[in-house]
Coordinates of all heavy atoms in Angstrom, one line a residue:
M272 N 12.6 -41.2 59.0 CA 12.7 -39.8 58.7 C 12.3 -39.0 60.0 O 12.9 -38.0 60.3 CB 11.7 -39.5 57.5 CG 11.7 -38.1 57.2 SD 13.2 -37.5 56.5 CE 12.8 -35.9 56.0
L273 N 11.2 -39.5 60.6 CA 10.8 -38.8 61.8 C 11.9 -38.8 62.9 O 12.1 -37.8 63.5 CB 9.5 -39.4 62.4 CG 8.9 -38.8 63.6 CD1 8.5 -37.3 63.3 CD2 7.7 -39.6 64.1
F274 N 12.5 -39.9 63.1 CA 13.6 -40.0 64.1 C 14.7 -39.0 63.7 O 15.3 -38.3 64.6 CB 14.2 -41.4 64.1 CG 15.4 -41.6 65.0 CD1 15.3 -41.5 66.4 CD2 16.7 -41.7 64.4 CE1 16.4 -41.6 67.2 CE2 17.8 -41.8 65.2 CZ 17.7 -41.8 66.6
T275 N 15.1 -38.9 62.5 CA 16.1 -38.0 62.0 C 15.8 -36.6 62.3 O 16.6 -35.8 62.7 CB 16.4 -38.3 60.5 OG1 16.7 -39.6 60.3 CG2 17.6 -37.4 60.1
L276 N 14.5 -36.2 62.0 CA 14.1 -34.8 62.2 C 14.1 -34.5 63.7 O 14.5 -33.4 64.1 CB 12.7 -34.6 61.6 CG 12.7 -34.6 60.1 CD1 11.3 -34.5 59.5 CD2 13.6 -33.5 59.5
V277 N 13.6 -35.5 64.5 CA 13.6 -35.2 66.0 C 15.0 -35.1 66.5 O 15.3 -34.2 67.3 CB 12.8 -36.4 66.7 CG1 13.0 -36.3 68.2 CG2 11.4 -36.3 66.3
F278 N 15.9 -35.9 66.0 CA 17.3 -35.9 66.4 C 17.9 -34.5 66.0 O 18.6 -33.9 66.8 CB 18.1 -37.0 65.8 CG 19.6 -37.0 66.1 CD1 20.0 -37.3 67.4 CD2 20.5 -36.6 65.2 CE1 21.4 -37.3 67.7 CE2 21.9 -36.5 65.5 CZ 22.3 -36.9 66.8
A279 N 17.7 -34.0 64.8 CA 18.2 -32.7 64.4 C 17.6 -31.6 65.3 O 18.3 -30.7 65.7 CB 17.9 -32.5 62.9
A280 N 16.3 -31.7 65.6 CA 15.7 -30.6 66.4 C 16.2 -30.7 67.8 O 16.5 -29.6 68.4 CB 14.2 -30.9 66.4
L281 N 16.4 -31.8 68.4 CA 17.0 -31.9 69.7 C 18.5 -31.4 69.7 O 18.9 -30.7 70.7 CB 17.0 -33.4 70.2 CG 15.6 -33.9 70.6 CD1 15.6 -35.4 70.9 CD2 15.0 -33.1 71.7
F282 N 19.2 -31.7 68.7 CA 20.6 -31.2 68.6 C 20.6 -29.7 68.6 O 21.4 -29.1 69.3 CB 21.2 -31.8 67.3 CG 22.6 -31.3 67.1 CD1 23.7 -32.0 67.7 CD2 22.9 -30.2 66.3 CE1 25.0 -31.6 67.6 CE2 24.2 -29.8 66.2 CZ 25.3 -30.5 66.8
M283 N 19.7 -29.1 67.8 CA 19.7 -27.7 67.7 C 19.2 -27.0 69.0 O 19.6 -26.0 69.4 CB 18.9 -27.2 66.5 CG 19.5 -27.6 65.2 SD 21.2 -27.0 64.9 CE 21.0 -25.3 64.9
A284 N 18.3 -27.7 69.7 CA 17.7 -27.1 70.9 C 18.7 -27.2 72.1 O 18.7 -26.3 72.9 CB 16.4 -27.8 71.2
F285 N 19.4 -28.3 72.2 CA 20.2 -28.5 73.4 C 21.7 -28.3 73.2 O 22.4 -27.8 74.1 CB 20.0 -29.9 73.9 CG 18.6 -30.1 74.5 CD1 17.7 -30.9 73.8 CD2 18.2 -29.5 75.6 CE1 16.4 -31.1 74.3 CE2 16.9 -29.7 76.1 CZ 16.0 -30.5 75.4
L286 N 22.3 -28.6 72.0 CA 23.7 -28.5 71.8 C 24.1 -27.1 71.1 O 25.2 -26.6 71.4 CB 24.3 -29.6 71.0 CG 24.2 -31.0 71.8 CD1 24.7 -32.1 70.9 CD2 25.0 -30.9 73.0
W287 N 23.2 -26.6 70.3 CA 23.6 -25.4 69.5 C 23.8 -24.2 70.5 O 24.8 -23.5 70.2 CB 22.5 -25.1 68.5 CG 22.8 -23.8 67.8 CD1 22.2 -22.6 67.9 CD2 23.9 -23.5 66.9 NE1 22.7 -21.7 67.1 CE2 23.8 -22.2 66.5 CE3 25.0 -24.3 66.4 CZ2 24.8 -21.6 65.7 CZ3 25.9 -23.7 65.6 CH2 25.8 -22.4 65.2
P288 N 23.1 -24.0 71.5 CA 23.4 -22.9 72.4 C 24.8 -22.9 73.0 O 25.4 -21.9 73.3 CB 22.3 -23.0 73.5 CG 21.2 -23.7 72.9 CD 21.8 -24.7 71.9
H289 N 25.3 -24.1 73.2 CA 26.7 -24.3 73.7 C 27.7 -24.0 72.7 O 28.8 -23.5 73.0 CB 26.9 -25.7 74.3 CG 26.0 -26.0 75.5 ND1 26.1 -25.3 76.7 CD2 24.9 -26.8 75.5 CE1 25.1 -25.8 77.5 NE2 24.4 -26.7 76.8
L290 N 27.4 -24.3 71.4 CA 28.4 -24.1 70.3 C 28.2 -22.7 69.7 O 29.1 -22.2 69.0 CB 28.1 -25.1 69.2 CG 28.3 -26.6 69.6 CD1 27.9 -27.4 68.4 CD2 29.7 -26.8 70.0
D291 N 27.2 -22.0 70.0 CA 26.9 -20.7 69.4 C 27.9 -19.6 69.7 O 28.2 -18.8 68.8 CB 25.5 -20.2 69.9 CG 24.9 -19.1 69.1 OD1 25.3 -18.9 68.0 OD2 24.1 -18.3 69.7
D292 N 28.5 -19.7 70.9 CA 29.5 -18.7 71.3 C 30.8 -18.8 70.5 O 31.6 -17.9 70.4 CB 29.7 -18.7 72.8 CG 28.5 -18.4 73.6 OD1 27.6 -17.6 73.0 OD2 28.3 -18.9 74.7
F293 N 31.1 -20.0 70.0 CA 32.4 -20.2 69.4 C 32.3 -19.9 67.9 O 33.4 -19.9 67.2 CB 32.8 -21.7 69.5 CG 33.0 -22.1 71.0 CD1 32.1 -22.9 71.6 CD2 34.1 -21.6 71.7 CE1 32.3 -23.2 73.0 CE2 34.3 -21.9 73.0 CZ 33.4 -22.7 73.7
V294 N 31.2 -19.6 67.3 CA 31.0 -19.3 65.9 C 30.9 -17.8 65.7 O 30.1 -17.1 66.4 CB 29.8 -20.1 65.3 CG1 29.6 -19.8 63.9 CG2 30.0 -21.5 65.6
A295 N 31.6 -17.3 64.7 CA 31.4 -15.9 64.4 C 30.0 -15.5 64.0 O 29.3 -16.3 63.4 CB 32.3 -15.5 63.2
R296 N 29.5 -14.4 64.4 CA 28.1 -14.0 64.3 C 27.7 -14.0 62.8 O 26.6 -14.4 62.5 CB 27.9 -12.6 64.8 CG 26.5 -12.2 64.8 CD 26.3 -11.0 65.8 NE 24.9 -10.5 65.8 CZ 24.0 -11.0 66.5 NH1 24.2 -12.0 67.3 NH2 22.8 -10.5 66.5
S297 N 28.5 -13.7 61.9 CA 28.2 -13.7 60.5 C 28.0 -15.1 59.9 O 27.4 -15.3 58.8 CB 29.2 -12.9 59.7 OG 30.5 -13.4 59.8
L298 N 28.6 -16.1 60.5 CA 28.6 -17.4 60.0 C 27.6 -18.4 60.8 O 27.5 -19.5 60.4 CB 30.0 -18.1 60.1 CG 31.0 -17.4 59.3 CD1 32.4 -18.0 59.5 CD2 30.7 -17.5 57.8
R299 N 26.9 -17.9 61.8 CA 26.1 -18.7 62.6 C 25.0 -19.4 61.8 O 24.7 -20.6 62.0 CB 25.4 -17.9 63.7 CG 26.4 -17.6 64.8 CD 25.8 -16.8 65.9 NE 26.8 -16.5 66.9 CZ 26.7 -15.6 67.9 NH1 25.5 -15.0 68.0 NH2 27.7 -15.4 68.7
K300 N 24.3 -18.8 60.9 CA 23.2 -19.4 60.2 C 23.8 -20.5 59.3 O 23.2 -21.6 59.1 CB 22.5 -18.4 59.3 CG 21.6 -17.5 60.1 CD 20.9 -16.5 59.2 CE 20.0 -15.6 60.0 NZ 19.3 -14.6 59.2
W301 N 25.0 -20.3 58.7 CA 25.6 -21.3 57.8 C 26.1 -22.5 58.6 O 25.9 -23.6 58.1 CB 26.7 -20.7 57.0 CG 26.2 -19.7 56.0 CD1 26.3 -18.3 56.1 CD2 25.5 -20.0 54.8 NE1 25.7 -17.8 55.0 CE2 25.2 -18.8 54.1 CE3 25.2 -21.1 54.1 CZ2 24.5 -18.7 52.9 CZ3 24.5 -21.1 52.9 CH2 24.2 -19.8 52.3
V302 N 26.6 -22.2 59.7 CA 27.1 -23.4 60.5 C 25.9 -24.2 61.1 O 26.0 -25.4 61.1 CB 28.0 -22.8 61.7 CG1 28.3 -23.9 62.7 CG2 29.3 -22.2 61.2
A303 N 24.9 -23.5 61.5 CA 23.7 -24.2 61.9 C 23.1 -25.0 60.8 O 22.7 -26.2 61.0 CB 22.6 -23.2 62.5
M304 N 23.0 -24.5 59.6 CA 22.5 -25.3 58.5 C 23.4 -26.5 58.2 O 22.9 -27.6 57.9 CB 22.4 -24.4 57.2 CG 21.7 -25.1 56.1 SD 21.4 -24.0 54.7 CE 22.9 -23.3 54.3
G305 N 24.7 -26.3 58.3 CA 25.6 -27.4 58.0 C 25.5 -28.5 59.1 O 25.5 -29.7 58.8
L306 N 25.3 -28.1 60.3 CA 25.1 -29.1 61.4 C 23.8 -29.9 61.2 O 23.7 -31.1 61.5 CB 25.1 -28.4 62.8 CG 26.5 -27.9 63.2 CD1 26.4 -27.1 64.5 CD2 27.5 -29.1 63.3
I307 N 22.7 -29.2 60.7 CA 21.5 -29.9 60.5 C 21.7 -30.9 59.3 O 21.2 -32.0 59.3 CB 20.4 -28.9 60.2 CG1 20.0 -28.1 61.5 CG2 19.1 -29.6 59.6 CD1 19.0 -27.0 61.3
L308 N 22.4 -30.5 58.3 CA 22.7 -31.4 57.2 C 23.5 -32.6 57.6 O 23.3 -33.7 57.2 CB 23.4 -30.7 56.0 CG 22.5 -29.7 55.2 CD1 23.4 -29.0 54.2 CD2 21.4 -30.5 54.5
V309 N 24.4 -32.4 58.6 CA 25.2 -33.5 59.1 C 24.2 -34.5 59.9 O 24.3 -35.7 59.8 CB 26.3 -33.0 60.0 CG1 26.9 -34.1 60.9 CG2 27.4 -32.3 59.2
C310 N 23.3 -33.9 60.6 CA 22.3 -34.7 61.3 C 21.4 -35.5 60.3 O 20.9 -36.6 60.6 CB 21.4 -33.9 62.2 SG 22.3 -33.2 63.7
L311 N 21.1 -34.9 59.2 CA 20.3 -35.5 58.2 C 21.0 -36.5 57.3 O 20.4 -37.3 56.5 CB 19.6 -34.5 57.3 CG 18.6 -33.6 58.0 CD1 18.1 -32.5 57.1 CD2 17.4 -34.4 58.5
A312 N 22.3 -36.5 57.3 CA 23.1 -37.4 56.5 C 22.8 -38.9 56.6 O 22.7 -39.6 55.6 CB 24.6 -37.1 56.7
P313 N 22.6 -39.4 57.8 CA 22.2 -40.8 57.8 C 20.9 -41.2 57.1 O 20.9 -42.2 56.4 CB 22.0 -41.1 59.3 CG 22.8 -40.1 60.0 CD 22.8 -38.9 59.1
Y314 N 20.0 -40.3 57.1 CA 18.7 -40.5 56.3 C 19.0 -40.5 54.8 O 18.6 -41.4 54.1 CB 17.7 -39.4 56.6 CG 16.5 -39.6 55.8 CD1 15.5 -40.6 56.0 CD2 16.3 -38.7 54.7 CE1 14.4 -40.7 55.2 CE2 15.1 -38.8 53.9 CZ 14.2 -39.8 54.2 OH 13.1 -39.9 53.3
F315 N 19.8 -39.6 54.4 CA 20.2 -39.5 52.9 C 20.9 -40.7 52.5 O 20.7 -41.3 51.4 CB 21.0 -38.3 52.6 CG 20.3 -37.0 52.8 CD1 21.0 -35.9 53.4 CD2 19.0 -36.8 52.5 CE1 20.3 -34.7 53.6 CE2 18.3 -35.6 52.7 CZ 19.0 -34.6 53.2
F316 N 21.9 -41.2 53.3 CA 22.6 -42.4 53.0 C 21.7 -43.6 53.0 O 21.8 -44.5 52.1 CB 23.8 -42.6 53.9 CG 24.9 -41.7 53.8 CD1 25.4 -41.0 54.8 CD2 25.5 -41.5 52.5 CE1 26.5 -40.1 54.6 CE2 26.6 -40.7 52.3 CZ 27.0 -39.9 53.4
W317 N 20.8 -43.7 53.9 CA 19.9 -44.9 54.0 C 19.0 -44.9 52.7 O 18.8 -46.0 52.1 CB 19.0 -44.8 55.2 CG 18.0 -45.9 55.3 CD1 16.7 -45.9 54.9 CD2 18.3 -47.2 55.9 NE1 16.2 -47.2 55.2 CE2 17.1 -48.0 55.7 CE3 19.4 -47.8 56.4 CZ2 17.1 -49.3 56.2 CZ3 19.3 -49.1 56.9 CH2 18.2 -49.8 56.7
E318 N 18.4 -43.8 52.3 CA 17.6 -43.7 51.1 C 18.4 -44.0 49.8 O 17.9 -44.5 48.9 CB 17.0 -42.3 51.0 CG 15.8 -42.1 52.0 CD 14.6 -43.0 51.7 OE1 14.3 -43.1 50.5 OE2 14.1 -43.5 52.6
T319 N 19.7 -43.7 49.8 CA 20.5 -44.0 48.7 C 20.8 -45.4 48.5 O 20.7 -46.0 47.5 CB 21.9 -43.2 48.8 OG1 21.5 -41.8 48.8 CG2 22.7 -43.4 47.6
F320 N 21.2 -46.1 49.6 CA 21.6 -47.5 49.6 C 20.5 -48.5 49.8 O 20.6 -49.6 49.4 CB 22.8 -47.7 50.6 CG 24.0 -47.0 50.3 CD1 24.5 -46.0 51.1 CD2 24.7 -47.3 49.1 CE1 25.6 -45.3 50.8 CE2 25.9 -46.6 48.8 CZ 26.3 -45.6 49.6
Y321 N 19.4 -48.1 50.4 CA 18.2 -48.9 50.6 C 17.0 -48.2 50.1 O 16.2 -47.8 51.0 CB 18.1 -49.3 52.1 CG 19.3 -50.1 52.6 CD1 20.2 -49.5 53.3 CD2 19.4 -51.4 52.2 CE1 21.3 -50.2 53.8 CE2 20.5 -52.1 52.7 CZ 21.5 -51.5 53.5 OH 22.5 -52.2 54.0
P322 N 16.8 -48.0 48.8 CA 15.6 -47.2 48.3 C 14.4 -48.0 48.6 O 14.4 -49.2 48.7 CB 15.9 -47.1 46.9 CG 16.8 -48.2 46.5 CD 17.7 -48.4 47.7
P323 N 13.2 -47.3 48.7 CA 12.0 -48.1 48.9 C 11.7 -49.0 47.7 O 12.1 -48.7 46.5 CB 10.9 -46.9 49.0 CG 11.6 -45.7 48.4 CD 13.1 -45.9 48.6
A324 N 10.9 -50.0 47.9 CA 10.5 -51.0 46.9 C 9.7 -50.3 45.8 O 9.7 -50.7 44.6 CB 9.8 -52.2 47.5
I325 N 8.9 -49.3 46.1 CA 8.0 -48.7 45.2 C 8.2 -47.1 45.3 O 8.2 -46.6 46.4 CB 6.5 -49.0 45.5 CG1 6.2 -50.5 45.4 CG2 5.6 -48.2 44.5 CD1 4.9 -50.8 45.9
D326 N 8.3 -46.5 44.1 CA 8.4 -45.0 44.1 C 7.1 -44.6 43.3 O 6.8 -45.0 42.2 CB 9.6 -44.6 43.4 CG 9.7 -43.1 43.3 OD1 9.3 -42.4 44.3 OD2 10.2 -42.5 42.3
I327 N 6.4 -43.7 44.0 CA 5.1 -43.2 43.4 C 5.3 -41.7 43.1 O 5.6 -41.0 44.0 CB 3.9 -43.5 44.3 CG1 3.8 -44.9 44.6 CG2 2.7 -42.9 43.8 CD1 2.8 -45.3 45.7
T328 N 5.0 -41.3 41.9 CA 5.1 -39.9 41.5 C 3.7 -39.5 41.0 O 3.2 -40.1 40.0 CB 6.1 -39.7 40.4 OG1 7.4 -40.2 40.9 CG2 6.2 -38.2 40.1
A329 N 3.0 -38.6 41.6 CA 1.7 -38.1 41.2 C 1.8 -36.9 40.4 O 2.4 -35.9 40.8 CB 0.8 -37.9 42.5
Y330 N 1.1 -36.9 39.3 CA 1.0 -35.8 38.4 C -0.4 -35.3 38.4 O -1.3 -35.9 39.1 CB 1.4 -36.1 37.0 CG 2.9 -36.5 36.8 CD1 3.2 -37.9 36.7 CD2 3.9 -35.6 36.9 CE1 4.5 -38.3 36.6 CE2 5.2 -36.0 36.8 CZ 5.5 -37.4 36.7 OH 6.8 -37.8 36.6
K331 N -0.7 -34.3 37.6 CA -2.1 -33.7 37.6 C -3.1 -34.7 37.1 O -4.2 -34.9 37.7 CB -2.1 -32.5 36.7 CG -3.5 -31.8 36.7 CD -3.4 -30.5 35.9 CE -4.8 -29.9 35.8 NZ -4.8 -28.7 34.9
D332 N -2.8 -35.5 36.0 CA -3.7 -36.4 35.4 C -3.3 -37.8 35.5 O -4.0 -38.7 34.9 CB -3.9 -36.0 33.9 CG -4.5 -34.6 33.8 OD1 -5.3 -34.2 34.6 OD2 -4.2 -33.9 32.8
S333 N -2.2 -38.1 36.1 CA -1.7 -39.5 36.2 C -0.8 -39.8 37.4 O -0.4 -38.8 38.1 CB -1.0 -39.9 34.9 OG 0.2 -39.1 34.8
V334 N -0.6 -41.0 37.6 CA 0.3 -41.5 38.7 C 1.3 -42.5 38.1 O 0.9 -43.4 37.4 CB -0.4 -42.1 39.9 CG1 0.5 -42.6 40.9 CG2 -1.4 -41.1 40.4
D335 N 2.6 -42.3 38.3 CA 3.6 -43.2 37.9 C 4.1 -44.1 39.0 O 4.4 -43.5 40.1 CB 4.8 -42.5 37.3 CG 4.6 -41.9 35.9 OD1 3.5 -42.2 35.3 OD2 5.4 -41.0 35.5
Y336 N 4.1 -45.4 38.8 CA 4.6 -46.3 39.8 C 6.0 -46.9 39.3 O 6.0 -47.4 38.1 CB 3.7 -47.5 40.0 CG 2.3 -47.1 40.6 CD1 1.3 -46.8 39.7 CD2 2.1 -47.0 42.0 CE1 0.0 -46.4 40.3 CE2 0.9 -46.6 42.5 CZ -0.1 -46.3 41.6 OH -1.3 -46.0 42.1
E337 N 7.0 -46.8 40.0 CA 8.3 -47.4 39.6 C 8.7 -48.4 40.7 O 8.7 -48.1 41.9 CB 9.4 -46.3 39.5 CG 9.1 -45.3 38.4 CD 10.3 -44.3 38.4 OE1 11.4 -44.6 38.6 OE2 10.0 -43.1 38.0
F338 N 8.9 -49.6 40.2 CA 9.2 -50.7 41.1 C 10.7 -51.1 41.0 O 11.3 -51.1 39.9 CB 8.4 -51.9 40.7 CG 6.9 -51.7 40.9 CD1 6.2 -51.2 39.8 CD2 6.3 -51.9 42.1 CE1 4.8 -51.0 39.9 CE2 5.0 -51.7 42.2 CZ 4.2 -51.2 41.2
R339 N 11.3 -51.4 42.1 CA 12.7 -51.8 42.1 C 12.9 -53.2 41.6 O 13.8 -53.6 40.9 CB 13.3 -51.7 43.5 CG 14.7 -51.6 43.6 CD 15.2 -51.3 45.0 NE 14.3 -51.5 46.1 CZ 14.7 -52.0 47.2 NH1 15.9 -52.3 47.5 NH2 13.8 -52.2 48.2
D340 N 11.8 -54.1 41.8 CA 11.9 -55.5 41.4 C 10.9 -55.6 40.2 O 9.7 -55.3 40.3 CB 11.4 -56.3 42.6 CG 11.5 -57.8 42.3 OD1 12.2 -58.2 41.3 OD2 10.8 -58.6 43.0
A341 N 11.4 -56.2 39.1 CA 10.6 -56.3 37.9 C 9.5 -57.3 38.1 O 8.4 -57.1 37.6 CB 11.5 -56.8 36.7
D342 N 9.8 -58.4 38.8 CA 8.7 -59.4 39.1 C 7.6 -58.8 39.9 O 6.4 -59.1 39.6 CB 9.3 -60.6 39.9 CG 10.3 -61.4 39.0 OD1 10.2 -61.4 37.8 OD2 11.2 -62.0 39.6
F343 N 7.9 -58.0 40.8 CA 6.8 -57.3 41.6 C 6.0 -56.4 40.7 O 4.8 -56.3 40.9 CB 7.5 -56.5 42.8 CG 6.5 -56.0 43.8 CD1 5.6 -56.8 44.4 CD2 6.5 -54.6 44.1 CE1 4.7 -56.3 45.3 CE2 5.6 -54.1 45.0 CZ 4.7 -54.9 45.6
A344 N 6.7 -55.7 39.8 CA 6.0 -54.8 38.9 C 5.0 -55.6 38.0 O 3.9 -55.1 37.7 CB 7.0 -54.0 38.0
Y345 N 5.5 -56.7 37.4 CA 4.6 -57.5 36.6 C 3.4 -58.1 37.4 O 2.3 -58.2 36.9 CB 5.4 -58.6 35.9 CG 6.2 -58.1 34.8 CD1 7.6 -58.2 34.8 CD2 5.7 -57.4 33.7 CE1 8.4 -57.7 33.8 CE2 6.4 -56.9 32.6 CZ 7.8 -57.1 32.7 OH 8.6 -56.5 31.7
E346 N 3.7 -58.5 38.6 CA 2.6 -59.0 39.5 C 1.6 -57.9 39.7 O 0.4 -58.1 39.7 CB 3.1 -59.5 40.8 CG 2.1 -60.1 41.7 CD 2.7 -60.6 43.0 OE1 3.9 -60.7 43.1 OE2 1.9 -60.8 43.9
F347 N 2.0 -56.6 40.0 CA 1.1 -55.5 40.2 C 0.3 -55.3 38.9 O -0.9 -55.1 39.0 CB 2.0 -54.3 40.5 CG 1.1 -53.0 40.7 CD1 0.5 -52.7 41.9 CD2 1.0 -52.1 39.6 CE1 -0.3 -51.6 42.0 CE2 0.3 -51.0 39.7 CZ -0.4 -50.7 40.9
A348 N 1.0 -55.3 37.7 CA 0.3 -55.1 36.5 C -0.7 -56.2 36.2 O -1.8 -55.9 35.7 CB 1.3 -55.0 35.4
S349 N -0.4 -57.4 36.5 CA -1.3 -58.5 36.2 C -2.5 -58.5 37.2 O -3.6 -58.8 36.8 CB -0.6 -59.9 36.4 OG -0.2 -60.1 37.7
L350 N -2.3 -58.1 38.4 CA -3.5 -58.0 39.3 C -4.4 -56.8 38.9 O -5.6 -56.8 39.2 CB -3.0 -57.7 40.8 CG -2.3 -59.0 41.4 CD1 -1.7 -58.6 42.7 CD2 -3.3 -60.1 41.6
N351 N -3.8 -55.8 38.3 CA -4.6 -54.6 37.9 C -4.7 -54.6 36.4 O -4.9 -53.5 35.8 CB -3.9 -53.3 38.4 CG -3.9 -53.3 39.9 OD1 -5.0 -53.2 40.5 ND2 -2.7 -53.3 40.5
G352 N -4.6 -55.7 35.7 CA -4.5 -55.7 34.2 C -5.8 -55.3 33.6 O -5.8 -54.8 32.5
D353 N -6.9 -55.4 34.2 CA -8.2 -55.0 33.6 C -8.4 -53.5 33.7 O -9.3 -53.0 33.1 CB -9.4 -55.8 34.3 CG -9.5 -55.6 35.8 OD1 -8.5 -55.1 36.4 OD2 -10.5 -55.9 36.3
A354 N -7.6 -52.8 34.5 CA -7.8 -51.4 34.6 C -7.2 -50.7 33.3 O -6.1 -51.1 32.9 CB -7.1 -50.9 35.8
E355 N -7.8 -49.7 32.8 CA -7.3 -49.0 31.6 C -6.1 -48.2 31.9 O -5.4 -47.8 31.0 CB -8.4 -48.1 31.1 CG -8.8 -47.0 32.0 CD -10.0 -46.2 31.5 OE1 -11.0 -46.8 31.0 OE2 -10.0 -45.0 31.7
W356 N -5.8 -47.9 33.1 CA -4.6 -47.0 33.4 C -3.3 -47.8 33.6 O -2.3 -47.1 33.7 CB -4.9 -46.2 34.7 CG -5.4 -47.1 35.9 CD1 -6.7 -47.3 36.2 CD2 -4.6 -47.7 36.8 NE1 -6.8 -48.1 37.3 CE2 -5.5 -48.4 37.7 CE3 -3.3 -47.9 37.0 CZ2 -5.0 -49.2 38.8 CZ3 -2.8 -48.6 38.1 CH2 -3.7 -49.3 38.9
V357 N -3.3 -49.1 33.5 CA -2.1 -49.9 33.7 C -1.4 -50.0 32.3 O -1.9 -50.4 31.3 CB -2.4 -51.3 34.2 CG1 -1.1 -52.1 34.3 CG2 -3.0 -51.1 35.6
R358 N -0.1 -49.5 32.3 CA 0.7 -49.6 31.1 C 2.1 -50.0 31.6 O 2.6 -49.5 32.6 CB 0.8 -48.3 30.4 CG -0.4 -47.9 29.6 CD -0.2 -46.7 28.7 NE 0.2 -45.5 29.5 CZ -0.7 -44.7 30.0 NH1 -2.0 -44.8 29.8 NH2 -0.3 -43.6 30.6
I359 N 2.7 -50.9 30.9 CA 4.1 -51.4 31.3 C 5.1 -50.7 30.4 O 5.0 -50.8 29.2 CB 4.2 -52.9 31.3 CG1 3.2 -53.5 32.3 CG2 5.6 -53.3 31.6 CD1 3.1 -55.0 32.2
S360 N 6.1 -50.0 31.0 CA 7.1 -49.4 30.1 C 8.5 -49.8 30.7 O 8.7 -50.1 31.8 CB 6.9 -47.9 30.1 OG 7.0 -47.4 31.4

């Protein structure tokens, strides 16, 4: 993610000034936003096709853990089985 953000920032800092003259003034913000989304596309594709093994969602009173691998989830639950907060769903 950091590499992608740095790449997008460098793109906007060094290449956008050269492209800025070719874009109509009323469309410059939209074109800049579109170019940033193009720079971020590899990250979006990577997260889609290679999601992380664990997804953690924190709420006010609880935390949900979602595992891609069922065996890993059961191992996590068995290691933390004595805790009152572990529930398998």
Side-chain angles (χ1 to χ4, degrees):
M272 177 69 173
L273 181 62
F274 173 75
T275 305
L276 291 175
V277 168
F278 178 72
L281 290 174
F282 180 84
M283 292 307 291
F285 293 109
L286 292 178
W287 177 248
H289 299 291
L290 299 173
D291 192 26
D292 296 333
F293 298 107
V294 179
R296 187 164 179 82
S297 62
L298 297 175
R299 285 183 183 167
K300 288 181 183 178
W301 292 104
V302 171
M304 186 173 54
L306 290 173
I307 290 173
L308 287 175
V309 168
C310 290
L311 293 175
Y314 174 75
F315 295 143
F316 287 127
W317 181 265
E318 286 292 317
T319 300
F320 295 113
Y321 299 102
I325 300 173
D326 182 36
I327 301 172
T328 306
Y330 299 103
K331 183 179 177 181
D332 297 328
S333 66
V334 176
D335 287 346
Y336 297 91
E337 293 182 32
F338 297 91
R339 204 170 15 141
D340 183 18
D342 293 333
F343 188 56
Y345 286 117
E346 182 179 346
F347 177 83
S349 67
L350 290 173
N351 296 295
D353 57 344
E355 63 187 41
W356 50 267
V357 174
R358 287 187 300 269
I359 299 174
S360 59

